[in-house]
Amino acid sequence: MGIIRPVKQVKLFTAILFGSEGVFNAARERLSSALGPIDMESPVWTWSNSTYYEKEMGTDLKRTFLFYERPI
């Protein structure tokens, strides 16, 4: 059997794939409202790993990560 232990707090982050800056900015605002202030953001880079999302989201997709101030 396992041992019950207190949980450790962790840093919450989201990975975001987007095709439009406007959609990204709106999503960033909504995520920040729901999850708290963003304290770190990765660079944005071109998503070229797969064509899986093209039918739904189009081409020239971008990827970034947002990290939130408040641990969970």
Side-chain angles (χ1 to χ4, degrees), residues 7-63:
V7 296
K8 295 180 181 177
Q9 290 192 326
V10 295
K11 187 162 205 66
L12 180 64
F13 74 94
T14 53
I16 302 175
L17 189 64
F18 64 96
S20 159
E21 289 290 323
V23 170
F24 168 69
N25 290 332
R28 188 180 192 282
E29 287 298 316
R30 288 186 73 179
L31 287 165
S32 180
S33 292
L35 303 173
I38 296 167
D39 70 347
M40 192 168 44
E41 193 168 335
S42 76
V44 174
W45 66 90
T46 301
W47 174 260
S48 58
N49 298 31
S50 165
T51 58
Y52 181 83
Y53 300 101
E54 282 184 10
K55 185 176 179 183
E56 181 180 354
M57 300 176 69
T59 58
D60 193 30
L61 299 178
K62 307 283 190 271
R63 162 74 79 193

